[in-house]
Amino acid sequence: MLHLNVNDETSRLRAVLLGTARNNGPIPKPENAYDPKSLQHILAGTYPKEADMINEMEALANIFRAYNVEVFRPEVLEDCNQIFSRDIAFVIEDKLIKANILPDREEEFDAILHVLEYIHPDNILYPPEEVHIEGGDVMPWNNYIFIGTYTGHDYPDYITARTNWEGVEYIKRMFPHKEVKSFELRKSIANPKENALHLDCCFQPVGKDKAILHKNGFLVEDEYQWLVDYFGKENIFEITADEMYRMFSNVFSISPDVVVSERNFTRLNNWLRDRGLTVEEVPYTEISKQGGLLRCSTMPLIRD
């Protein structure tokens, strides 16, 4: 049996579900793009090649193995993009919550049923249909659960709006002993530098008391300011619009002392090392063309 345990973003990782780029399918048509960054690369003819993405994900898998992390992978579906495992489910404490994702992606959940067999059925939650929520918007952080959302009246018009207010309320009901703090995110279908697809596109804790943050990803300045006050300005790495576009905040922690980051994130990686963290660098630029990076493609199952 797998005894799920995730209470924060950085405690020592023991088991993780890592997506796969195998049998990724043809380049999507522009009208089928899920986010503005993918659309940009489809139109420019720079959409990533499957072989390159497989190599990038294997580099990440090798780092996990070097740290003795148990790595689960989805079953490979034919012509299906299964890279972003964080979108299909996520773990809080000892519960795995199935994300109510875009309907086209339902089969991705079926591809991890072999992992769910190791989890007690009582510990798998299936939110009702009106609850929209994806793992990229959900961050357990000690006594808090941080959630990115979009509650504008035009929510249905945005394919980039993934977590609704019903999603926030559902997490409050399921985890009444936690303080759930929601953040309104900026959404854009056309401009990837103005679109925070998920909370982890503009914010992520690292170490024990630090955070990566992008102010313009937040619609409400007071909510952004709450995070600045909570972590302390001296502990925050503020990223530019271009760095958000390149996914600087979408790194992934193996422990409070070890962060996996993209090898070209020089400014961030130097900042982390200057603060005593070990930075494991991987190539991940091809995967980033699809609007996700290291956190998006990993779903922690067990942390200390």
Side-chain angles (χ1 to χ4, degrees), residues 66-101:
Y67 281 88
N68 297 315
V69 174
E70 187 173 8
V71 180
F72 294 89
R73 308 298 290 268
E75 286 180 5
V76 178
L77 303 172
E78 191 170 345
D79 289 345
C80 181
N81 185 334
Q82 296 174 267
I83 291 170
F84 298 125
S85 57
R86 186 80 64 152
D87 289 354
I88 57 176
F90 54 93
V91 175
I92 300 175
E93 296 182 341
D94 61 350
K95 299 288 188 283
L96 182 140
I97 299 107
K98 178 185 184 290
N100 279 349
I101 43 177

Side-chain angles (χ1 to χ4, degrees), residues 145-245:
I145 301 173
F146 299 138
I147 302 184
T149 185
Y150 181 74
T151 61
H153 64 88
D154 51 353
Y155 174 91
D157 300 336
Y158 282 101
I159 196 169
T160 54
R162 300 297 175 79
T163 297
N164 61 8
W165 187 247
E166 287 81 358
V168 175
E169 291 297 312
Y170 177 80
I171 295 298
K172 285 181 179 176
R173 287 197 304 276
M174 293 301 105
F175 301 93
H177 52 290
K178 295 280 191 183
E179 186 161 346
V180 175
K181 185 129 187 82
S182 63
F183 302 89
E184 292 279 339
L185 302 181
R186 189 176 305 282
K187 303 292 179 181
S188 172
I189 298 168
N191 185 352
K193 292 189 180 181
E194 289 276 322
N195 179 54
L197 187 66
H198 291 125
L199 182 59
D200 61 16
C201 295
C202 58
F203 161 64
Q204 188 170 182
V206 285
K208 289 198 167 114
D209 58 359
K210 295 170 182 55
I212 304 164
L213 204 52
H214 178 61
K215 183 176 184 177
N216 196 50
F218 297 83
L219 276 178
V220 182
E221 185 161 349
D222 285 353
E223 293 177 357
Y224 160 82
Q225 191 59 46
W226 188 93
L227 287 168
V228 173
D229 295 341
Y230 177 80
F231 285 94
K233 202 168 174 56
E234 69 283 1
N235 291 321
I236 286 173
F237 183 85
E238 183 76 40
I239 58 178
T240 65
D242 184 61
E243 288 170 339
M244 185 189 87
Y245 169 77

Side-chain angles (χ1 to χ4, degrees), residues 58 152 254:
E58 286 312 306
I254 292 178

